[in-house]
Amino acid sequence: MKIHEHQARDLLASFGVPVPPAHLCTNAQDAARLYKEITDQAGTDLVVVKAQVHAGGRGKAGFVKLVRSADEATEAATFMLTNRMVSNQTGPEGLPVSKLLMAAGVDIAHEYYLAITTDRATRQNVLIASAEGGVDIEEVAEHNPKAILKTPLHPLLGLQPHQARETAFRLGLKGKQVNQAVKTMTALAKCFLAKDCSIAEINPLVLTPPTDAHPDGQILAIDAKFNFDDNALFRHPDLQALFDPAEENPAELRAASHGLTYIALDGNIGCLVNGAGLAMATMDTIKHHGGEPANFLDVGGSASEQAVTEAFNIILSDERVQGILVNIFGGIMDCAVIAQGIVNAAKTYKNNDGSTGFQVPLVVRLEGTNVEAGREILKQASASLPTLQAATDLSDGARKVTVAI
Ligand code: GDP
Ligand code: MN
């Protein structure tokens, strides 16, 4: 599960990371009002306006703007609230923006990158840091990997003080900056474990220019991203409360409410499969035959007829779907339940033109428990299933659906 930047900032602050205060706003009038409020309080005319969406790359996409007047704040807010945010981390359709974060603009002397995640190769958590943080961190990782410092964390000891200090020195920090950075790294490591994160990232972690009050500058987190392990969410009601359904794919939410695992993809062949492994194999086989899967839909081992019917509704709600492949290898799953679910869906599915039934080609491969009964149900209902073709095996099914669309 992901959260918004404003939530991530609050979470980091609760662990002791220095984060500048921020405000939320949802319309352009509020943006002008907040601009005045923030500038009055902070004694600066610089304010940052940031779109709150579950994706990064906002800076480059024009969805993080520094403004110097209430009019500029209104303009930035209007732009962000009326355009979809398209970045290298979203699809080409982008994400709608309904909330903005506004904060006093921070003077930046240098931007650093700091994150903790799990390194699957070494099966250890790893602290990742770079003195080349900011919006180009992906390019740095690709073209100058030496600039990315990685420190493996001991499974029991976690981030040790000497590791944090060494990282701070290697980032080139000096004087009082070192202890500030150590404190931030330690807090991030604590938060990562306590909240069962899969990634906890601060980019940029900034150093501010020296002032009389802070001759060595200040270390501040001005952007943060988190991803949490969904399987551990049951023990974090505080995190569950941060879930924002508006950021999720509606079809995926609808599927989850019926106990189905659905992930939307870009192709045009809808897949209905039981078991994640079989779903993977099905998508591979479709690709092998030159097709493109439109989704990954796993009805699991014990789906009801209603769930199967709902699965069809979800698949067909994707307007790109031009054909469906059902691939069921019944173990615990009863093929008759699947067949009845297909028939019910065909009888009740309403097309845009008002007619009922499936208009797209439907290829069904059923094998396993109670398969004869399942085939009989489909045969009896053949009048309701004019586009149905039976497949003898997975490869035959993938070929047939690819040819049919
Ligand atoms: P992202 O592009 O989605 O990761 O959004 P960020 O919050 O990281 O902002 C992108 C970039 O905008 C940062 O790397 C900074 O260079 C700049 N930026 C963001 N907030 C401020 C600020 O308060 N002051 C200044 N000077 N620059 C900022
Ligand atoms: Mn960022």
Side-chain angles (χ1 to χ4, degrees):
M1 187 188 93
K2 292 181 182 172
I3 57 174
H4 286 292
E5 178 197 355
H6 67 93
Q7 300 166 326
R9 290 166 78 118
D10 290 349
L11 183 60
L12 280 180
S14 75
F15 278 83
V17 173
V19 182
H23 303 261
L24 272 185
C25 99
T26 53
N27 62 61
Q29 292 79 12
D30 277 355
R33 184 181 52 76
L34 277 174
Y35 176 86
K36 293 197 190 85
E37 204 178 302
I38 292 168
T39 47
D40 282 352
Q41 265 174 22
T44 159
D45 69 343
L46 190 67
V47 166
V48 64
V49 183
K50 312 177 78 176
Q52 298 296 286
V53 280
H54 283 188
R58 296 166 302 169
K60 284 189 169 171
F63 283 73
V64 171
K65 287 227 172 90
L66 290 165
V67 297
R68 290 192 180 272
S69 70
D71 282 350
E72 280 180 27
T74 307
E75 195 186 326
T78 307
F79 170 80
M80 291 181 200
L81 293 168
T82 53
N83 287 282
R84 293 172 80 93
M85 201 283 282
V86 181
S87 80
N88 58 358
Q89 295 185 23
T90 69
E93 68 286 353
L95 294 169
V97 180
S98 61
K99 278 193 220 91
L100 306 173
L101 177 150
M102 289 178 65
V106 173
D107 282 336
I108 300 177
H110 197 93
E111 301 193 16
Y112 300 88
Y113 177 94
L114 193 62
I116 298 180
T117 188
T118 305
D119 181 346
R120 286 163 188 256
T122 61
R123 300 189 207 168
Q124 273 181 313
N125 294 334
V126 58
L127 175 77
I128 304 172
S130 177
E132 299 190 27
V135 294
D136 290 324
I137 192 67
E138 281 92 356
E139 276 100 274
V140 175
E142 195 179 334
H143 300 296
N144 186 15
K146 284 210 179 86
I148 311 276
L149 312 175
K150 291 187 182 168
T151 309
L153 306 184
H154 188 279
L156 296 177
L157 300 175
L159 176 68
Q160 297 168 73
H162 73 88
Q163 294 181 306
R165 273 198 306 277
E166 190 188 333
T167 303
F169 288 130
R170 288 175 71 195
L171 290 175
L173 296 172
K174 307 230 155 41
K176 293 206 165 119
Q177 300 159 6
V178 174
N179 267 348
Q180 291 184 53
V182 165
K183 201 175 144 233
T184 292
M185 289 180 220
T186 309
L188 189 66
K190 214 166 145 189
C191 176
F192 181 87
L193 283 186
K195 298 296 176 187
D196 289 307
C197 301
S198 55
I199 185 163
E201 178 193 87
I202 303 173
N203 184 37
L205 178 74
V206 301
L207 173 66
T208 62
T211 58
D212 290 345
H214 302 282
D216 286 348
Q218 273 183 292
I219 296 278
L220 299 172
I222 64 166
D223 184 25
K225 286 199 178 52
F226 281 88
N227 208 340
F228 304 100
D229 181 349
D230 290 342
N231 293 319
L233 275 177
F234 71 94
R235 56 183 188 185
H236 299 292
D238 55 330
L239 297 179
Q240 287 170 30
L242 304 181
F243 180 71
D244 182 358
E247 293 287 321
E248 307 294 322
N249 178 307
E252 292 180 12
L253 283 180
R254 188 170 153 197
S257 73
H258 288 86
L260 305 165
T261 306
Y262 173 89
I263 292 161
L265 303 170
D266 296 332
N268 55 1
I269 299 176
C271 313
L272 188 153
V273 187
N274 67 321
L278 191 60
M280 296 288 198
T282 304
M283 295 194 299
D284 282 353
T285 312
I286 289 173
K287 282 254 188 197
H288 178 73
H289 285 279
E292 288 291 337
N295 69 274
F296 170 109
L297 193 151
D298 172 12
V299 296
S302 54
S304 62
E305 270 172 42
Q306 289 80 357
V308 174
T309 305
E310 186 60 19
F312 271 97
N313 291 333
I314 292 167
I315 290 175
L316 287 166
S317 69
D318 177 353
E319 284 175 2
R320 285 173 296 197
V321 169
Q322 292 172 348
I324 300 179
L325 174 61
V326 175
N327 183 26
I328 299 295
F329 196 86
I332 301 169
M333 189 76 232
D334 181 336
C335 289
V337 170
I338 296 283
Q340 197 57 54
I342 296 175
V343 173
N344 296 350
K347 284 187 177 153
T348 52
Y349 185 74
K350 288 258 182 305
N351 294 294
N352 287 341
D353 62 9
S355 64
T356 305
F358 299 155
Q359 293 177 329
V360 297
L362 170 69
V363 178
V364 179
R365 182 257 180 155
L366 285 181
E367 207 57 75
T369 303
N370 217 7
V371 66
E372 290 311 329
R375 291 193 181 133
E376 189 56 30
I377 290 167
L378 293 180
K379 206 167 126 198
Q380 295 294 329
S382 59
S384 319
L385 295 164
T387 64
L388 175 75
Q389 294 181 64
T392 52
D393 59 28
L394 169 53
S395 187
D396 182 48
R399 188 182 52 75
K400 278 188 171 135
V401 73
T402 312
V403 170
I405 62 172

